[in-house]
Amino acid sequence: MARTRAAYEYTEAEDKSMRLGFLLIAAGLLSLLGLGCCWLRPALQERGGGGSANCTVLAVRQLGERFACTFSCGAACRGTARYPCLQVLVRTSRSSAPALLHEDERQLRTNPKCSYIPPCARDDQENSENVTYKQKYWKEKVGSQPFTCYFNQHLRPDDVMLKRTHDETVLLHCFLWPVVTFLVGVLIVVLTICAKSLAVKAEAIKKRKH
């Protein structure tokens, strides 16, 4: 009995391999849990009840209201500037009611009243010029041409997005890499146990022959 127990004792290299395997298993599970709570679940909630549609511009306008943004001019240099509010109203192929277009979900959460938030510059005039350029783009370049937009009837029925922040690729990577880490850890543990078992059996057969 003591010989059998001694035979199954792992060497230092095997012990390190087992520890690495269990570490990868734990890291994979914790990563999957953390990403699921902090990223994957909100992303699925945003996508739930949503879909794509064809959008057509109805009106492009600037409101008189201005909003604040924060610019950075160095490591310890920050300030506040202002930009005009641009609204792009569209009609979707799913509904005849007008909807407000947004760049993506992040921009919608940051400023739900406007369709575009320019890169924040120190000069208010530069911010206004960026918004005016975007206004001309929607009026002259896009015009009445249909384009693909995204909506979520449950969360924001009166808003549509030009693109999604959480696309299929991001969701795939959120799930793929923790699972790969977990499986690699399991594989290392299983191979180490199998290798040890085969070594013990080989040693037992060798002793029988002698």
Side-chain angles (χ1 to χ4, degrees), residues 8 194-208:
Y8 272 97
C194 290
K196 185 63 177 179
S197 178
L198 291 174
V200 170
K201 289 181 180 179
E203 185 67 23
I205 293 173
K206 183 178 179 181
K207 287 181 179 180
R208 288 175 187 174

Side-chain angles (χ1 to χ4, degrees), residues 110-148:
T110 303
N111 190 341
K113 286 188 176 182
C114 305
S115 298
Y116 174 67
I117 299 177
C120 193
R122 191 169 190 169
D123 184 13
D124 291 357
Q125 181 62 31
E126 184 176 347
N127 292 326
S128 298
E129 290 174 357
N130 288 333
V131 172
T132 301
Y133 174 81
K134 184 64 71 171
Q135 182 179 7
K136 289 181 179 179
Y137 168 80
W138 283 107
K139 277 187 175 181
E140 300 173 4
K141 293 291 182 67
V142 179
S144 59
Q145 298 178 9
F147 58 93
T148 303

